Amino acid sequence: MEKKKKVVIALGGNALGKNLDEQREAVKITSKAIVDLLEANCEVVVVHGNGPQVGMINNCFNEYRDQHKDASPIPLSVCGAMSQAYIGYDLQNALREECITRGVKVNGVATVITQTEVDPNDPAFKNPTK
């Protein structure tokens, strides 16, 4: 049996569009390329950024808090998890639909919500940039 090539695809958050409709269109296009790789017998992992999406979610919660003074603040980490989940959800659906359309059998598609621990003493925090 031939060993599968492993491919990691990294999508930037900006590449996913500025709103939900643009994101759904972007993941449909991306899914076609990913399924091409699956058809070429590759094992594929997709990772993505989520900066713009986290910002939108955070802004929405802040606006809600402005109108509802008793609302609790939502930590940025929770906004990050929300964005990971909805991006993953849209990507999973697009991949599933593309696989069904092409008759490509896969063992499954999963979204994994992640956390990253950073060193609070990292010198980069002295001059933060994007």
Side-chain angles (χ1 to χ4, degrees), residues 16-28:
L16 295 168
K18 296 181 181 134
N19 57 52
L20 193 53
D21 290 335
E22 287 183 13
Q23 177 175 295
R24 286 187 177 143
E25 187 59 33
V27 297
K28 281 182 188 178

Side-chain angles (χ1 to χ4, degrees), residues 23-74:
Q23 177 175 295
R24 286 187 177 143
E25 187 59 33
V27 297
K28 281 182 188 178
I29 294 166
T30 301
S31 293
K32 292 178 187 309
I34 294 169
V35 175
D36 288 345
L37 292 167
L38 295 174
E39 287 183 318
N41 200 34
C42 294
E43 185 177 322
V44 180
V45 173
V46 180
V47 298
H48 60 79
N50 61 347
Q53 294 79 7
V54 171
M56 285 186 279
I57 291 169
N58 191 53
N59 288 341
C60 288
F61 278 117
N62 287 338
E63 187 173 317
Y64 180 85
R65 282 187 59 224
D66 288 346
Q67 296 173 15
H68 300 86
K69 298 302 181 192
D70 60 336
S72 299
I74 303 297

Side-chain angles (χ1 to χ4, degrees), residues 52-103:
Q53 294 79 7
V54 171
M56 285 186 279
I57 291 169
N58 191 53
N59 288 341
C60 288
F61 278 117
N62 287 338
E63 187 173 317
Y64 180 85
R65 282 187 59 224
D66 288 346
Q67 296 173 15
H68 300 86
K69 298 302 181 192
D70 60 336
S72 299
I74 303 297
L76 194 57
S77 60
V78 173
C79 296
M82 289 177 171
S83 68
Q84 288 181 55
Y86 89 73
I87 293 168
Y89 177 80
D90 281 346
L91 190 53
Q92 277 181 228
N93 284 336
L95 281 167
R96 184 181 58 79
E97 289 174 20
E98 188 65 24
C99 285
I100 289 169
T101 297
R102 294 198 209 180

